[in-house]
Amino acid sequence: MTGSPFHPQLLCRLKSGARTSTTAVLPGNLLTDTLPQAATATSAANNHAVNFTHTKELFSSVSSAKMLRSLIMLRLASSAPVADLGMWVMKSRLMDIPLCRKAVLGITERTFYRQFCAGEDLASASATARELSDTGRTAMLDYGLEHANDNESCDLNMEEFLRTIQSTKSGVESPISFVVVKITAICPVRVLKRVSDLLRWQHKDNSLNLPWKLKSLPLLADSSPLYHTAEQPAALTAEEERDLEAAYARMAKICRNSIDASLPILIDAEDTAIQPSIDYLAYGAAVEFSSGEGEPLIYNTIQGYLKDAKDRMVMAKKAADEMRVGLGIKLVRGAYMNAENRLAESLGVESPIHDNIHNTHRCYNECADFMLHQIAHGSGSGSLVLATHNMESGKMAAAKAVDLGIDKDSKRLHFAQLYGMAEALSFGLRNSGFRVSKYLPYGPVDQIIPYLLRRAEENRGLLSASSFDRSLMRNELIRRVKSPPVHGKAMQMPTSQV
């Protein structure tokens, strides 16, 4: 890799952190974080695990041109007015005008879509995954599907998930670590809402009989938000039961194909109105398709910003051990804070979200600590995907894993960040020897951009959390300007890469 020539004026702009603006895109709820604390963190306990001091080593596999482009895109995308403008345009009548729609999508595709998305189809996504593999990281494939409202759409979405899984099968080592599955894409949302209401009511009244309910892990705790229905919901209709059975059949088919491809599944989380039914389908499939040993097939998502997060995690782990089911957990902070708070306020009840960011950080780290101890010393099997952009959480978890004697290359511990973001954290963890994946959304531009922008409304703090990452990139670009590589001699990847 060779350094790109820089003009002196550019060096001045890098030092000053010059600002510009355009449209924002934010992929999904998998890795939602708040402002990182790592910029001022100096905990000695963490220093031996991950190092962010040497930017030359951190970004050795990134060209100067690509780093500069990422720096600009992240800075623009972190601007609140730019995000507001982008969402306004996508929702406006301008998008009904063919010429205007084409222009907007064209500009977005050449800028932010290219930064945060892997391409329009499986071929493009696979090529991006191979590029990640060249830098010592793997990919979590996520096809950008919308929520489904009918069974026909659910069937079509299932076929897309199956095609994604099939694309990973080859005779060589795959650069794909997980396939992301959205339950809302294979089960009508209206059914998920009805099932969730009944599951919550059964938790309040265990005499309620749910004849359709299959064997699963615990779904709710006494600390879970149970206020969504004021009265006992009506039983599922015959049609709703058939829809639920069809959804489970789709999930089972996806699981069988994943087993055949030796590829685990990540289940996305949603808001609490439908999360119990998502947990039900995920844990039900985990129980049915568990091998009783080895790495779990299904990784269900726990959102650390919920007050009941740790309670539900501990309950699920205890039950999984008793049933000899491998439990896979994907730990995120959460993505529906505004919606959850609005709903709770409208009902006059306490919000299910932690009262402040410090409590969310504490809950996330306690959940990570619990699972790491289970991996190191617990009975049964358990695996963890730590999905975070928070530098401090990443450093703490890495240090804890080292202290507990967990093999850095263990298949039971994985770190993950969004594609196009948190590169310093990704490379730092990779250089320390941990398994690192990037969450890789892909799909047609006109389909995935509106989806990502809608997600951005619930994840407004995440892109602004890239300031520390941008600072490190600026430092590395300045270092390269001052000390360009010898002509004709490429930078080498660090020997400690995964």
Side-chain angles (χ1 to χ4, degrees):
M1 179 183 69
T2 57
S4 299
F6 287 97
H7 198 274
Q9 282 86 345
L10 178 57
L11 177 59
C12 294
R13 288 180 62 81
L14 289 171
K15 289 180 176 179
S16 64
R19 298 181 177 183
T20 49
S21 61
T22 190
T23 307
V25 181
L26 180 60
N29 72 341
L30 172 66
L31 307 172
T32 303
D33 268 336
T34 53
L35 291 175
Q37 301 171 329
T40 58
T42 57
S43 173
N46 294 334
N47 290 339
H48 70 279
V50 185
N51 188 294
F52 300 106
T53 304
H54 302 106
T55 59
K56 179 179 179 179
E57 180 176 314
L58 275 179
F59 300 111
S60 63
S61 58
V62 185
S63 70
S64 297
K66 184 173 182 179
M67 195 183 310
L68 178 61
R69 182 178 179 279
S70 294
L71 182 60
I72 294 171
M73 292 298 103
L74 289 173
R75 182 63 194 89
L76 298 180
S78 66
S79 168
V82 169
D84 291 339
L85 176 62
M87 286 183 280
W88 178 84
V89 169
M90 285 296 178
K91 294 178 179 179
S92 73
R93 293 183 178 180
L94 292 174
M95 297 302 289
D96 296 329
I97 304 173
L99 188 61
C100 182
R101 179 182 181 86
K102 182 178 180 180
V104 170
L105 292 179
I107 293 171
T108 306
E109 178 183 9
R110 289 188 292 272
T111 54
F112 298 100
Y113 177 87
R114 191 175 299 173
Q115 173 70 20
F116 300 117
C117 301
E120 294 197 6
D121 51 29
L122 275 171
S124 300
S126 297
T128 303
R130 288 192 293 272
E131 291 176 5
L132 287 173
S133 181
D134 291 340
T135 65
R137 300 168 295 172
T138 50
M140 300 170 168
L141 283 184
D142 172 35
Y143 189 71
L145 295 169
E146 293 289 297
H147 289 186
N149 295 313
D150 55 67
N151 283 301
E152 182 180 3
S153 298
C154 290
D155 288 337
L156 292 173
N157 290 342
M158 178 193 67
E159 293 300 327
E160 290 293 346
F161 288 133
L162 296 179
R163 275 191 283 273
T164 301
I165 293 168
Q166 289 297 317
S167 73
T168 67
K169 297 173 66 174
S170 64
V172 297
E173 185 175 355
S174 175
I176 310 301
S177 53
F178 298 87
V179 164
V180 179
V181 172
K182 298 177 179 66
I183 299 295
T184 52
I186 60 172
C187 182
V189 175
R190 57 178 171 76
V191 176
L192 293 174
K193 177 66 167 63
R194 290 275 287 120
V195 170
S196 292
D197 287 343
L198 286 163
L199 290 169
R200 278 189 293 266
W201 200 267
Q202 187 187 56
H203 184 81
K204 292 190 287 187
D205 178 7
N206 58 19
S207 67
L208 178 63
N209 180 38
L210 303 179
W212 43 263
K213 189 176 179 182
L214 302 174
K215 194 173 185 180
S216 182
L217 300 177
L219 307 173
L220 296 158
D222 291 340
S223 57
S224 297
L226 305 172
Y227 50 72
H228 293 76
T229 51
E231 299 178 352
Q232 179 175 326
L236 294 183
T237 64
E239 180 183 3
E240 288 171 333
E241 284 199 33
R242 287 194 296 271
D243 289 345
L244 180 60
E245 290 173 1
Y248 191 83
R250 296 183 192 103
M251 185 67 189
K253 190 170 184 178
I254 291 171
C255 288
R256 286 190 288 269
N257 278 260
S258 296
I259 291 171
D260 186 49
S262 299
L263 187 69
I265 299 168
L266 290 178
I267 303 296
D268 265 352
E270 301 286 345
D271 60 273
T272 58
I274 58 176
Q275 189 59 46
S277 55
I278 292 174
D279 291 342
Y280 165 69
L281 288 169
Y283 287 146
V287 171
E288 179 177 350
F289 294 97
S290 174
S291 64
E293 58 185 20
E295 186 178 3
L297 172 67
I298 294 173
Y299 286 67
N300 195 32
T301 298
I302 295 289
Q303 301 184 93
Y305 74 170
L306 293 173
K307 295 174 181 176
D308 69 340
K310 188 174 180 182
D311 291 341
R312 289 189 295 117
M313 177 184 288
V314 172
M315 291 169 59
K317 183 64 173 70
K318 180 180 178 181
D321 288 348
E322 293 172 352
M323 298 167 64
R324 296 183 59 80
V325 172
L327 180 66
I329 293 294
K330 178 183 67 172
L331 183 61
V332 305
R333 273 177 170 76
Y336 300 92
M337 184 171 67
N338 294 335
E340 298 287 8
N341 286 337
R342 282 197 301 268
L343 176 61
E345 184 177 359
S346 70
L347 297 174
V349 296
E350 182 180 325
S351 173
I353 307 296
H354 284 295
D355 298 331
N356 56 61
I357 187 55
H358 303 294
N359 289 344
T360 296
H361 286 321
R362 181 168 59 250
C363 180
Y364 184 93
N365 292 334
E366 287 178 355
C367 287
D369 187 77
F370 170 78
M371 285 301 296
L372 290 171
H373 273 89
Q374 293 299 304
I375 292 172
H377 306 302
S379 60
S381 61
S383 298
L384 176 65
V385 172
L386 276 168
T388 182
H389 287 189
N390 188 288
M391 292 281 188
E392 185 68 5
S393 289
K395 290 170 66 178
M396 287 177 64
K400 175 63 71 172
V402 171
D403 291 341
L404 292 173
I406 298 173
D407 184 0
K408 289 183 178 182
D409 195 35
S410 171
K411 290 184 178 181
R412 297 175 67 184
L413 175 61
H414 220 101
F415 290 88
Q417 291 81 41
L418 291 169
Y419 178 69
M421 294 187 65
E423 293 292 78
L425 180 57
S426 297
F427 285 130
L429 290 164
R430 176 211 65 180
N431 291 350
S432 294
F434 292 98
R435 290 178 178 262
V436 178
S437 281
K438 303 297 281 189
Y439 189 87
L440 206 61
Y442 74 96
V445 180
D446 59 347
Q447 172 182 309
I448 200 169
I449 290 299
Y451 161 75
L452 296 177
L453 282 171
R454 276 191 289 277
R455 291 292 194 174
E457 291 184 274
E458 289 289 352
N459 294 273
R460 298 183 68 86
L462 179 54
L463 280 164
S464 62
S466 64
S467 58
F468 187 62
D469 212 47
R470 299 198 309 268
S471 175
L472 292 173
M473 287 185 183
R474 278 196 298 269
N475 290 344
E476 173 57 14
L477 286 171
I478 292 170
R479 187 199 65 78
R480 291 184 185 184
V481 170
K482 293 180 176 179
S483 306
V486 178
H487 180 70
K489 185 176 181 180
M491 289 185 182
Q492 300 297 315
M493 286 285 291
T495 58
S496 60
Q497 75 172 60
V498 176

